[in-house]
Amino acid sequence: MAEKPTVLFVCVHNAGRSQMAAGYLQAIAGDRIEVLSAGSEPRDQINPVAVAAMAEEGIDIASNTPKLLTVEAVRESDVVITMGCGDACPIFPGKRYEDWVLDDPAGRDEGTVRRIRDEIRARVEKLIAELVIS
C-alpha cells in the first residue's frame, strides 16, 4: 500500500453515508489518508439532515458536492468502501474492498441519522487504526 493510502467511500447518491464517512475520515485522520467519495447515481445536493448531524460533531460537510463514481477514482484508491451500491462499483484486482451495510439516511428523522452517523464514526475509527501505523 502507498505511503499515504487513499480511501474511496461509495454509496448510491453520495449525499449521506459516504459523505459522512469521508467527513469523519478527513477530520480524524487529517493528512495521513487521502479521502475520496462518490456515488453511482449522485444527487444534486447533500442530505441536509446528514449535514446537520455532522455539524453536531463539529464537522462541516455542507460545502461538499455529490460526485459521480468514476473508474479513475476506483483505480487510484487503495481501499474502496461501498455502502449499498451493489454491482455499480468497478472491481480492480489488488485493492481492498469492504461493504459497510448501513441504513440509507435519505428521508430519515434526525435520531435515525444520528444513529447511522455514530455507526459510521465507529467504523471509520477502526479503519484508521488498520491503515495508519503511528
Side-chain angles (χ1 to χ4, degrees):
M1 192 169 298
E3 192 75 22
K4 179 176 174 178
T6 299
V7 175
L8 170 64
F9 292 104
V10 183
C11 66
V12 177
H13 302 301
N14 191 218
R17 293 166 288 189
S18 56
Q19 291 284 352
M20 289 192 285
Y24 269 129
L25 186 56
Q26 197 93 61
I28 299 168
D31 60 2
R32 297 175 296 170
I33 297 175
E34 192 69 36
V35 183
L36 304 171
S37 74
S40 52
E41 299 170 29
R43 285 271 155 87
D44 54 356
Q45 66 177 37
I46 296 183
N47 178 339
V49 182
V51 171
M54 292 301 286
E56 292 173 2
E57 297 278 288
I59 299 172
D60 180 10
I61 61 170
S63 59
N64 296 1
T65 310
K67 291 179 231 21
L68 180 64
L69 176 65
T70 64
V71 170
E72 291 74 39
V74 177
R75 191 177 288 129
E76 66 189 50
S77 299
D78 299 298
V79 181
V80 179
I81 296 178
T82 58
M83 304 170 184
C85 70
D87 299 333
C89 300
I91 303 289
F92 288 99
K95 306 232 175 268
R96 172 176 164 183
Y97 289 89
E98 285 185 28
D99 187 48
W100 291 0
V101 180
L102 296 159
D103 292 333
D104 188 344
R108 302 294 181 90
D109 62 57
E110 289 176 9
T112 303
V113 174
R114 282 188 191 110
R115 182 184 51 74
I116 296 166
R117 174 201 68 197
D118 294 346
E119 187 175 340
I120 289 170
R121 179 179 185 128
R123 290 178 186 228
V124 166
E125 288 174 342
K126 181 176 180 284
L127 179 69
I128 293 169
E130 293 167 359
L131 293 179
V132 176
I133 291 87
S134 42

